[in-house]
Amino acid sequence: KNIAMSIGQKLNIYRESDTALSGDMIDGMSAEELADVISSVFYHLPLYPCAQDESYQSATIERLIVAMTGDGVNDAVALKCADIGIAMGKGTDVCKEAAEMVLANDDMSAILEAVREGKNIFLNIKNFVR
């Protein structure tokens, strides 16, 4: 949990009210319990493949946007299912192929820059089309 929170702080997206769930915590919840808390949870880590799927299913029901990060073969399905899958550059080829974004230098702060750049590109296209 501390790793997830420190990443959030580094990206300036962490708030004191943010909560985190680990794979073990998710495994101990029923589908109803998970659905009740999923919208208030900002960080889920580490998640086992089964917990990744449960977490994603609950988030989709709540119409939340899901981003997953991973570096191994076991993360490939979650990366493919997520709204945006982010693979670590030192990860497996399977993982990189399943993801929409690959962090070449494994620096999580690059995600924020990529989102900003993507937003600027989107706005430029939108203004041009008008």
Side-chain angles (χ1 to χ4, degrees), residues 18-32:
D18 289 342
T19 56
L21 285 180
S22 68
D24 291 336
M25 295 167 88
I26 290 173
D27 285 343
M29 293 181 170
S30 69
E32 294 80 24

Side-chain angles (χ1 to χ4, degrees), residues 100-114:
E100 284 84 18
M101 178 190 294
V102 178
L103 296 179
N105 61 0
D106 290 358
D107 182 8
M108 295 293 244
S109 63
I111 296 170
L112 191 58
E113 282 303 312

Side-chain angles (χ1 to χ4, degrees), residues 57-108:
Q57 297 285 338
S58 293
T60 4
I61 290 169
E62 294 293 318
R63 297 181 184 220
L64 302 172
I65 295 173
V66 176
M68 291 276 191
T69 59
D71 61 359
V73 173
N74 63 322
D75 297 321
V77 173
L79 293 175
K80 194 71 172 169
C81 290
D83 296 306
I84 181 159
I86 305 165
M88 300 298 135
K90 295 178 183 172
T92 64
D93 288 340
V94 172
C95 183
K96 291 179 199 175
E97 192 66 33
E100 284 84 18
M101 178 190 294
V102 178
L103 296 179
N105 61 0
D106 290 358
D107 182 8
M108 295 293 244

